[in-house]
Amino acid sequence: MDHGAMRRAADAAIVPLVASLAPWGVVEAHWLPDRNGEPVLWVRVGTELQRVTLEAQSWLLPQLHVILARMGMPSEKVMGSRLEVTSVEAETRLFEE
């Protein structure tokens, strides 16, 4: 898979990822490649409690992998992908300090 196709697959995964995680407090998401070119999807929730709760779910990373696979990303890229969770609350606190 070329870089453009991988980028399109990661972009396409954002909407279903946010939609499926909205009940857990996810308000937005984006992705960036890491140093090795593997996708890292970042999701943002409102509070630190929501972040901790979401990160504790054992199904979270497998759900990301399923969504990426459905969007056409090759299995070696899917398995190398990561998910990071941040909160608006923590980001606000960071900029206040």
Side-chain angles (χ1 to χ4, degrees):
M1 172 177 257
D2 68 15
H3 185 67
M6 187 190 77
R7 184 174 276 256
R8 287 188 297 279
D11 285 343
I14 296 295
V15 172
L17 183 66
V18 171
S20 67
L21 296 178
W24 291 86
V26 172
V27 293
E28 64 183 296
H30 67 275
W31 78 275
L32 295 168
D34 66 10
R35 287 183 221 158
N36 298 323
E38 305 298 334
V40 179
L41 277 88
W42 296 78
V43 297
R44 182 178 288 142
V45 295
T47 67
E48 275 298 287
L49 179 58
Q50 289 171 322
R51 181 190 63 77
V52 169
T53 303
L54 183 59
E55 286 182 331
Q57 303 309 306
S58 60
W59 50 262
L60 184 58
L61 190 57
Q63 180 170 335
L64 168 65
H65 290 164
V66 166
I67 291 170
L68 287 171
R70 286 182 178 166
M71 295 303 132
M73 190 167 286
S75 59
E76 65 274 1
K77 293 290 184 185
V78 168
M79 297 313 292
S81 64
R82 296 192 325 266
L83 181 68
E84 298 290 335
V85 183
T86 186
S87 74
V88 173
E89 183 180 338
E91 291 170 4
T92 302
R93 212 174 27 239
L94 177 69
F95 292 116
E96 289 174 353
E97 296 175 354

